[in-house]
Amino acid sequence: MGRVVVAGSINMDVVALAERHPRVGETVAGTSIKYFPGGKGANQAVAAAKLGAQTLLIGRLGSDAFGRELRAFLVSQSVDVSSVTETADAHSGTAIITLADADNTIVVIPGANGLLSTDDVAGPALSKGDVAVSQFEIPLPAIAAFFARARAAGATTILNPAPMRAFDLALHDLIDILVLNETELGLLAKTELHEADEPARFADAAQSVLRRSDQIVCVTLGKRGALALIDGAPLLVPARAVKAVDTTGAGDCFVGALATQVAQGTPLREALGFANIAASICVQRMGAAPSMPTRAEVAALLC
Ligand code: ATP
Ligand code: RIB
């Protein structure tokens, strides 16, 4: 079985819970405040590790209290943090999250994540069968260098371009599996997509962003599940009917779970079903990284 190697962000999520979201310019009284380990890179690494993959995270933390807490948490989740370096030049990444009605708004302050460099991704060994995973909360040159090394080594690359920003074709060409939500797909495909659109609309948009015929695109659709385009054919994976309490990190859980399955050599259709179940467990719990399920929890729901 290959390893999962994630290059990505590590944040402390400062979560304000409220009865409803404030409108712009409005103040509402919150009900509580929580501090959860998060950041898309850390969330995906924790998901992969809990789901059974040997997992290495490449990232940066500030030399501050959040940084120490985040590192200790990652170690406790069996994530290899030997490539997470500490920098005195910036604070640890921090996300300010408002959560109401199981829906969130997020402002991310990258801090140390923004200093992740091409040198940081040059060290860890990558081998055939490994899965290299990244997202857009770290600088794009570091992701491109990481993916170029990964593909040269025969590893599979998974990009979760969130939060979406413009990226060049050279990076696009290095992606084997692209996992993104409908808003991100709409931005990339330069078309307007809505949650309630027909699956064919998502399939067409996914088709339009392919750069190679062997690239796979998977659109996560929240409570509707996910739609993947595999060898040009759409596959709809319906979500499990569950009561979501906090969807923060659901996409990250999906990506980390998918990476674990690909590293194990599981056929893609089965891997997507597994990721969909894992993410349905995640949304029923509070917080990002702490809400990732274990392998046994997912296995118990697989028929
Ligand atoms: P986030 O940015 O909050 O992490 P996202 O927009 O990247 O989320 P979503 O598409 O909302 O990701 O969700 C990812 C996956 O989580 C879905 O494809 C689905 O498998 C699962 N999921 C999300 N919401 C629900 C829900 N309400 N019920 C069941 N499964 C869900
Ligand atoms: O995807 C969820 C994550 O996005 C949160 O944990 C937060 O840190 C932001 O980066």
Side-chain angles (χ1 to χ4, degrees):
M1 176 180 165
R3 288 183 316 159
V4 173
V5 182
V6 181
S9 57
I10 312 168
N11 296 333
M12 181 59 81
D13 291 353
V14 182
V15 184
L17 287 98
E19 299 288 334
R20 66 174 177 84
H21 288 280
R23 283 181 283 273
V24 174
E26 188 193 17
T27 302
V28 298
T31 51
S32 63
I33 186 155
K34 307 250 184 240
Y35 296 83
F36 291 118
K40 294 183 190 300
N43 296 340
Q44 293 175 16
V46 168
K50 287 183 78 171
L51 292 166
Q54 200 188 325
T55 306
L56 173 84
L57 176 60
I58 304 170
R60 285 212 183 203
L61 288 166
S63 37
D64 48 26
F66 278 170
R68 287 186 286 281
E69 207 178 312
L70 288 162
R71 183 183 291 275
F73 172 79
L74 290 164
V75 170
S76 75
Q77 305 299 297
S78 304
V79 174
D80 179 346
V81 293
S82 55
S83 294
V84 174
T85 53
E86 193 176 297
T87 175
D89 298 334
H91 62 81
S92 294
T94 309
I96 308 298
I97 301 181
T98 307
L99 180 65
D101 291 334
D103 226 335
N104 61 40
T105 61
I106 307 182
V107 176
V108 186
I109 305 97
N113 298 308
L115 299 180
L116 197 89
S117 68
T118 53
D119 285 347
D120 291 319
V121 300
L126 287 156
S127 311
K128 189 167 162 47
D130 287 347
V131 179
V133 183
S134 200
Q135 329 71 27
F136 277 180
E137 287 187 339
I138 57 171
L140 301 192
I143 301 173
F146 176 53
F147 277 9
R149 280 194 66 220
R151 281 180 60 84
T156 300
T157 58
I158 301 184
L159 181 69
N160 173 220
M164 180 55 83
R165 53 185 146 136
F167 60 106
D168 61 27
L169 295 178
L171 173 55
H172 206 142
D173 288 343
L174 292 169
I175 305 164
D176 292 317
I177 305 177
L178 181 68
V179 183
L180 69 186
N181 67 22
E182 81 269 8
T183 311
E184 291 148 2
L185 177 62
L187 287 167
L188 188 59
K190 298 189 173 52
T191 184
E192 209 167 305
L193 293 175
H194 301 285
E195 211 180 84
D197 283 346
E198 287 300 311
R201 286 268 299 138
F202 299 116
D204 288 348
Q207 182 72 46
S208 77
V209 303
L210 285 180
R211 291 277 304 163
R212 299 193 315 267
S213 60
D214 63 343
Q215 275 181 331
I216 288 151
V217 181
C218 178
V219 196
T220 61
L221 300 169
K223 60 177 179 300
R224 291 181 70 192
L227 184 140
L229 200 65
I230 307 168
D231 296 331
L235 171 75
L236 188 61
V237 186
R240 287 181 62 233
V242 298
K243 181 166 169 35
V245 298
D246 179 8
T247 61
T248 314
D252 298 332
C253 182
F254 191 99
V255 172
L258 183 63
T260 303
Q261 293 290 296
V262 173
Q264 280 174 6
T266 307
L268 210 53
R269 283 156 199 269
E270 223 176 284
L272 290 163
F274 182 97
N276 188 52
I277 292 177
S280 77
I281 300 172
C282 171
V283 301
Q284 295 175 77
R285 299 173 178 165
M286 291 292 296
S291 68
M292 301 305 163
T294 62
R295 188 172 188 78
E297 288 173 318
V298 179
L301 295 169
L302 278 169
C303 9

